[in-house]
Coordinates of all heavy atoms in Angstrom, one line a residue:
G1102 N 30.9 -7.3 10.8 CA 31.0 -7.1 12.2 C 30.5 -5.7 12.6 O 29.8 -5.5 13.6
R1103 N 30.8 -4.7 11.9 CA 30.4 -3.3 12.2 C 28.9 -3.2 12.1 O 28.2 -2.6 13.0 CB 31.1 -2.3 11.3 CG 30.7 -0.9 11.6 CD 31.3 0.1 10.6 NE 32.8 0.0 10.7 CZ 33.6 0.8 9.9 NH1 33.1 1.5 9.0 NH2 34.9 0.7 10.1
T1104 N 28.4 -3.7 11.0 CA 26.9 -3.6 10.8 C 26.2 -4.5 11.9 O 25.1 -4.2 12.4 CB 26.5 -4.1 9.4 OG1 27.3 -3.4 8.5 CG2 25.1 -3.8 9.1
L1105 N 26.8 -5.7 12.2 CA 26.2 -6.5 13.2 C 26.1 -5.8 14.5 O 25.1 -6.0 15.3 CB 27.0 -7.8 13.4 CG 26.5 -8.8 14.3 CD1 25.1 -9.3 13.9 CD2 27.4 -10.1 14.4
A1106 N 27.1 -5.0 14.9 CA 27.1 -4.2 16.2 C 25.9 -3.3 16.2 O 25.2 -3.1 17.2 CB 28.4 -3.5 16.3
Y1107 N 25.6 -2.6 15.0 CA 24.5 -1.8 15.0 C 23.1 -2.6 15.0 O 22.2 -2.2 15.7 CB 24.5 -1.0 13.7 CG 25.6 -0.1 13.5 CD1 26.3 0.1 12.3 CD2 26.2 0.6 14.6 CE1 27.4 0.9 12.1 CE2 27.3 1.5 14.4 CZ 27.9 1.6 13.2 OH 29.0 2.4 13.1
A1108 N 23.1 -3.7 14.3 CA 21.9 -4.5 14.3 C 21.5 -5.1 15.6 O 20.3 -5.4 15.9 CB 22.1 -5.6 13.2
L1109 N 22.5 -5.3 16.5 CA 22.2 -5.9 17.8 C 21.8 -4.9 18.8 O 21.5 -5.3 20.0 CB 23.5 -6.7 18.3 CG 23.9 -7.9 17.5 CD1 25.2 -8.5 18.0 CD2 22.8 -9.0 17.6
D1110 N 21.6 -3.7 18.4 CA 21.2 -2.6 19.3 C 19.6 -2.9 19.6 O 19.0 -3.5 18.8 CB 21.3 -1.3 18.6 CG 20.9 -0.2 19.6 OD1 21.7 0.2 20.5 OD2 19.8 0.3 19.4
K1111 N 19.2 -2.5 20.8 CA 17.8 -2.8 21.2 C 16.8 -2.4 20.2 O 15.8 -3.0 20.0 CB 17.6 -2.2 22.6 CG 18.3 -2.9 23.7 CD 17.8 -4.3 24.0 CE 18.5 -4.9 25.2 NZ 18.0 -6.3 25.4
S1112 N 17.1 -1.3 19.6 CA 16.1 -0.7 18.7 C 16.0 -1.4 17.3 O 15.0 -1.2 16.6 CB 16.4 0.8 18.4 OG 17.7 1.0 17.9
L1113 N 17.1 -2.1 17.0 CA 17.1 -2.8 15.6 C 17.1 -4.3 15.7 O 17.0 -5.0 14.7 CB 18.3 -2.3 14.9 CG 18.4 -0.8 14.5 CD1 19.7 -0.5 13.8 CD2 17.2 -0.4 13.7
E1114 N 17.3 -4.9 16.9 CA 17.4 -6.3 16.9 C 16.2 -7.1 16.4 O 16.4 -8.2 15.8 CB 17.8 -6.8 18.4 CG 16.7 -6.4 19.4 CD 17.1 -6.9 20.8 OE1 18.3 -7.2 21.1 OE2 16.2 -7.0 21.7
D1115 N 15.0 -6.6 16.6 CA 13.8 -7.3 16.1 C 13.8 -7.3 14.6 O 13.4 -8.3 14.0 CB 12.6 -6.6 16.7 CG 12.4 -6.9 18.2 OD1 12.9 -7.9 18.7 OD2 11.8 -6.0 18.9
K1116 N 14.2 -6.2 14.0 CA 14.2 -6.1 12.5 C 15.3 -7.1 12.0 O 15.1 -7.7 11.0 CB 14.4 -4.6 12.1 CG 13.3 -3.7 12.3 CD 13.6 -2.3 11.8 CE 12.4 -1.4 12.2 NZ 12.7 0.0 11.6
F1117 N 16.4 -7.0 12.6 CA 17.5 -7.9 12.2 C 17.1 -9.4 12.3 O 17.4 -10.2 11.4 CB 18.8 -7.7 13.0 CG 19.8 -8.7 12.9 CD1 20.5 -8.9 11.7 CD2 20.1 -9.6 14.0 CE1 21.5 -9.9 11.6 CE2 21.1 -10.6 13.9 CZ 21.7 -10.7 12.7
L1118 N 16.4 -9.7 13.4 CA 16.0 -11.1 13.6 C 14.9 -11.5 12.5 O 14.9 -12.6 12.0 CB 15.5 -11.2 15.0 CG 15.3 -12.7 15.5 CD1 16.6 -13.4 15.4 CD2 14.8 -12.7 16.9
A1119 N 14.0 -10.5 12.2 CA 13.0 -10.8 11.2 C 13.6 -11.1 9.9 O 13.2 -11.9 9.1 CB 12.0 -9.6 11.1
V1120 N 14.7 -10.3 9.5 CA 15.4 -10.6 8.3 C 16.1 -11.9 8.3 O 16.1 -12.7 7.4 CB 16.3 -9.4 7.9 CG1 17.2 -9.7 6.7 CG2 15.5 -8.1 7.7
A1121 N 16.9 -12.1 9.4 CA 17.8 -13.3 9.5 C 17.0 -14.6 9.5 O 17.4 -15.5 8.8 CB 18.7 -13.2 10.7
R1122 N 15.9 -14.6 10.3 CA 15.2 -15.9 10.3 C 14.4 -16.2 9.0 O 13.9 -17.4 8.9 CB 14.2 -15.8 11.5 CG 13.0 -15.0 11.3 CD 12.0 -15.0 12.5 NE 10.8 -14.4 12.3 CZ 9.8 -14.4 13.2 NH1 9.9 -15.0 14.3 NH2 8.7 -13.8 12.9
S1123 N 14.2 -15.2 8.1 CA 13.6 -15.5 6.9 C 14.5 -16.0 5.9 O 14.1 -16.4 4.7 CB 12.9 -14.3 6.4 OG 11.9 -13.8 7.3
C1124 N 15.8 -16.0 6.1 CA 16.9 -16.4 5.2 C 17.3 -17.9 5.5 O 17.3 -18.3 6.6 CB 18.1 -15.5 5.3 SG 17.7 -13.8 4.8
R1125 N 17.6 -18.5 4.4 CA 18.0 -20.0 4.5 C 19.4 -20.1 5.2 O 19.6 -21.1 5.9 CB 18.0 -20.6 3.1 CG 18.3 -22.0 3.0 CD 18.0 -22.6 1.7 NE 18.4 -23.9 1.5 CZ 19.5 -24.3 0.9 NH1 20.3 -23.4 0.4 NH2 19.8 -25.6 0.7
S1126 N 20.3 -19.1 4.9 CA 21.7 -19.2 5.5 C 22.0 -17.8 6.0 O 21.6 -16.8 5.4 CB 22.7 -19.6 4.4 OG 22.3 -20.9 3.9
V1127 N 22.7 -17.7 7.1 CA 23.2 -16.5 7.7 C 24.7 -16.6 7.9 O 25.2 -17.6 8.5 CB 22.5 -16.1 9.0 CG1 23.1 -14.8 9.6 CG2 21.0 -16.0 8.7
L1128 N 25.5 -15.6 7.4 CA 26.9 -15.6 7.6 C 27.3 -14.2 8.2 O 27.1 -13.2 7.6 CB 27.6 -15.7 6.2 CG 29.1 -15.7 6.2 CD1 29.7 -16.9 7.0 CD2 29.6 -15.8 4.7
C1129 N 27.8 -14.3 9.5 CA 28.3 -13.0 10.1 C 29.8 -13.0 10.1 O 30.5 -13.9 10.6 CB 27.8 -13.1 11.6 SG 26.0 -13.2 11.8

Side-chain angles (χ1 to χ4, degrees):
R1103 180 183 299 178
T1104 311
L1105 184 61
Y1107 300 138
L1109 292 175
D1110 186 78
K1111 290 291 184 182
S1112 60
L1113 296 179
E1114 63 180 14
D1115 291 333
K1116 292 181 180 179
F1117 165 69
L1118 196 57
V1120 173
R1122 71 178 189 175
S1123 300
C1124 296
R1125 186 167 172 261
S1126 307
V1127 178
L1128 179 62
C1129 301

